[in-house]
Amino acid sequence: MLQIYFGQKVNCFTFVKSESKNVFMRNAISAIDRYYKLSAQSKDLVIQEFEEVRMKKGEVLIHENIRSPYLYFIEKGAVKNHYIDEKGNKKVVWFGFEGNICFSLNSYIDMDYIHETTELLEDSLFYRVKINHVKALFKDHCDWANWGRCFMESVFINTVLELDEFKSLTSKEKYMKLIKSNQNVKERVPLKDIASYLGVSPVTISRLRKELNEL
Amino acid sequence: MLQIYFGQKVNCFTFVKSESKNVFMRNAISAIDRYYKLSAQSKDLVIQEFEEVRMKKGEVLIHENIRSPYLYFIEKGAVKNHYIDEKGNKKVVWFGFEGNICFSLNSYIDMDYIHETTELLEDSLFYRVKINHVKALFKDHCDWANWGRCFMESVFINTVLELDEFKSLTSKEKYMKLIKSNQNVKERVPLKDIASYLGVSPVTISRLRKELNEL
């Protein structure tokens, strides 16, 4: 049984066969693969810097007003991102699962516009790497520079969707789009968080589920 | 006097000293320089593909529903981006001047969410290059891959501002932010377009200008 501690560097893998390493980190590695095709050698430049982080349901991974210097790759677990809107209400804007990356946009691109907190929906295991380490790779490694380019394009598309596209949809359309985008949402996210994400009451979600024969 | 025609490739510069070329294309080249430091040799990989385009005030450079395969670098002139909102009103969302780049986001990152038309506010001169040419450079040139990464970060920040940050400001704050961001807006953009950008009436802008002792 592999022992994992908060913040421990994964040097323990140094003498483990590459395939075994890939089994333990399968979802974190899939998060890298999602954005740009990198050689195994290039990927190792990040994987060898991975630190393991385990946290409990309800704990906060990234605080909205504190810059976080890491990219966190979700190996196992679920998170939600939320912010406090102008009326003081907590508004959920994103759900993350295995193979997603959690990070502070303000830290990543040095701006000060998006203040979101990342909170755990389940006990979770992350592999984290310093943003500065990845940015150093961008400078000298063409494939990592392209990874950064494609990663940013993906972040852009998701943020535009989050901020804009949803506005013109009905609650039912939003709900269907959300659950279609990721089966995990329906199975692993509490009703109240789905309601907050859609900007409706939990009762409305129950009604929608009934309409859609989900209950 | 240099003769310039729509869509003509700038081979005429082949035998012109590099400094002379840079004088003619100063603003277009500054648009490249804005995002990432490239060597002169790397920059030339785009500059040598530049085509000159001259168009008249009121003409449309990029239509909202037609994919445009080019990046247009503004050498001289001014443009506005607008879209038709859910109520059928034309809403101005961006002003571009010398040193800015006009392009269709849908074409650049192959999505279908942002439908903006780019229309000329003044007679203008652009240098254009095919998006596919730039994307081919990303693959093999680390500095161009980083240019693409930083360009996307900048587009992201500006879009977030456009979609989100403005919401919480008063008309006066928005107006001050807009004219502070670029002196050209006050001097070269019609009142009605500034009003559309801010979502207020032209009368409100006149009142704000009076308040700010601009009249």
Side-chain angles (χ1 to χ4, degrees):
Chain A
M1 178 81 183
L2 181 72
Q3 291 301 307
I4 299 171
Y5 307 101
F6 185 98
Q8 177 195 17
K9 276 226 182 178
V10 291
N11 297 333
C12 51
F13 289 124
T14 310
F15 303 107
V16 179
K17 272 189 180 172
S18 180
E19 310 89 75
S20 312
K21 185 173 74 179
N22 288 356
V23 169
F24 286 124
M25 298 178 163
R26 194 182 54 203
N27 295 321
I29 292 170
S30 81
I32 300 177
D33 289 331
R34 179 175 294 185
Y35 300 101
Y36 196 80
K37 191 172 168 47
L38 296 160
S39 65
Q41 201 179 4
S42 285
K43 269 189 278 194
D44 272 343
L45 296 170
V46 159
I47 294 169
Q48 70 197 6
E49 292 295 313
F50 269 166
E51 291 178 322
E52 300 163 358
V53 177
R54 267 190 193 278
M55 292 175 70
K56 295 284 182 195
K57 179 178 173 176
E59 288 188 308
V60 167
L61 180 69
I62 297 168
H63 293 263
E64 64 184 62
N65 290 320
I66 303 173
R67 293 208 169 199
S68 163
Y70 295 100
L71 296 181
Y72 290 90
F73 297 76
I74 307 179
E75 181 58 34
K76 182 87 194 74
V79 303
K80 63 177 176 184
N81 271 22
H82 56 75
Y83 73 96
I84 307 298
D85 70 12
E86 54 273 24
K87 290 174 189 159
N89 299 318
K90 198 181 277 189
K91 177 93 181 73
V92 176
V93 290
W94 183 69
F95 301 109
F97 303 95
E98 290 81 6
N100 288 137
I101 300 175
C102 307
F103 66 108
S104 153
L105 257 166
N106 290 344
S107 305
Y108 186 78
I109 47 179
D110 194 23
M111 58 176 205
D112 198 30
Y113 308 129
I114 294 185
H115 296 279
E116 293 178 2
T117 291
T118 304
E119 185 181 325
L120 276 66
L121 290 170
E122 300 172 355
D123 294 353
S124 303
L125 162 64
F126 307 92
Y127 291 107
R128 74 180 185 187
V129 62
K130 283 225 162 122
I131 290 172
N132 280 349
H133 175 73
V134 179
K135 291 206 164 178
L137 294 178
F138 293 163
K139 295 271 182 292
D140 302 320
H141 297 266
C142 195
D143 53 357
W144 270 107
N146 277 300
W147 186 92
R149 180 176 63 79
C150 295
F151 177 59
M152 204 58 230
E153 287 180 8
S154 171
V155 169
F156 173 82
I157 290 172
N158 291 331
T159 306
V160 167
L161 279 173
E162 179 190 307
L163 290 173
D164 198 52
E165 203 219 6
F166 246 38
K167 283 192 302 197
S168 57
L169 301 181
T170 65
S171 300
K172 189 173 175 178
E173 286 167 336
K174 285 182 196 171
Y175 178 70
M176 286 172 69
K177 204 171 175 90
L178 176 66
I179 57 168
K180 198 177 152 196
S181 71
N182 196 329
Q183 183 67 16
N184 282 311
V185 174
K186 204 170 102 187
E187 290 168 2
R188 295 163 63 185
V189 174
L191 206 66
K192 70 173 175 53
D193 289 325
I194 297 180
S196 170
Y197 180 86
L198 298 177
V200 298
S201 70
V203 177
T204 305
I205 305 290
S206 296
R207 186 176 50 73
L208 285 173
R209 286 190 165 174
K210 207 173 266 177
E211 267 182 57
L212 297 164
N213 293 320
E214 285 179 14
L215 291 175
Chain B
M1 179 77 182
L2 181 71
Q3 292 301 308
I4 299 170
Y5 307 101
F6 185 98
Q8 178 196 17
K9 275 228 181 177
V10 292
N11 297 333
C12 50
F13 288 122
T14 310
F15 303 107
V16 180
K17 271 188 180 174
S18 181
E19 309 90 75
S20 314
K21 186 174 73 178
N22 287 356
V23 169
F24 287 124
M25 297 177 165
R26 195 183 55 205
N27 295 321
I29 292 170
S30 81
I32 300 177
D33 289 331
R34 177 173 295 185
Y35 300 101
Y36 195 80
K37 192 172 165 49
L38 296 160
S39 67
Q41 201 179 7
S42 285
K43 269 190 277 193
D44 272 342
L45 296 171
V46 158
I47 294 169
Q48 69 197 9
E49 292 294 314
F50 269 167
E51 292 177 322
E52 300 165 359
V53 176
R54 266 192 193 277
M55 292 174 71
K56 296 283 182 195
K57 178 178 174 177
E59 287 188 309
V60 168
L61 180 69
I62 297 167
H63 293 263
E64 66 184 63
N65 290 320
I66 302 174
R67 293 209 168 197
S68 164
Y70 294 101
L71 296 182
Y72 289 90
F73 295 76
I74 307 179
E75 181 57 34
K76 183 88 194 74
V79 303
K80 64 178 175 183
N81 272 20
H82 57 75
Y83 72 96
I84 307 298
D85 71 10
E86 54 273 25
K87 290 173 188 160
N89 299 318
K90 200 181 273 188
K91 178 93 183 70
V92 175
V93 290
W94 182 70
F95 301 109
F97 303 95
E98 289 82 6
N100 287 137
I101 301 174
C102 308
F103 66 108
S104 154
L105 257 167
N106 290 344
S107 305
Y108 187 78
I109 47 177
D110 194 22
M111 59 176 205
D112 198 31
Y113 309 129
I114 293 186
H115 296 279
E116 293 179 1
T117 291
T118 304
E119 186 181 323
L120 275 68
L121 290 170
E122 299 172 355
D123 294 353
S124 303
L125 163 64
F126 307 91
Y127 291 107
R128 73 179 184 188
V129 64
K130 283 224 161 122
I131 289 171
N132 280 348
H133 175 73
V134 179
K135 291 206 163 180
L137 295 178
F138 293 163
K139 294 272 181 294
D140 301 321
H141 297 266
C142 194
D143 53 358
W144 270 107
N146 277 300
W147 187 92
R149 180 177 63 78
C150 294
F151 177 60
M152 204 58 232
E153 287 181 8
S154 170
V155 169
F156 174 81
I157 290 172
N158 290 331
T159 307
V160 167
L161 279 173
E162 179 189 306
L163 290 173
D164 197 49
E165 203 219 7
F166 247 37
K167 283 193 301 195
S168 58
L169 302 180
T170 66
S171 301
K172 191 173 175 177
E173 286 167 337
K174 285 181 197 171
Y175 178 70
M176 288 172 69
K177 204 170 176 89
L178 176 65
I179 58 169
K180 199 177 154 198
S181 71
N182 195 329
Q183 183 66 16
N184 283 311
V185 173
K186 205 169 101 187
E187 290 167 4
R188 295 163 65 183
V189 175
L191 206 66
K192 70 174 175 52
D193 289 325
I194 297 179
S196 169
Y197 180 86
L198 298 176
V200 299
S201 70
V203 177
T204 304
I205 305 291
S206 297
R207 183 176 53 72
L208 285 173
R209 285 190 166 176
K210 205 173 266 175
E211 267 181 55
L212 296 164
N213 294 320
E214 286 178 12
L215 290 176

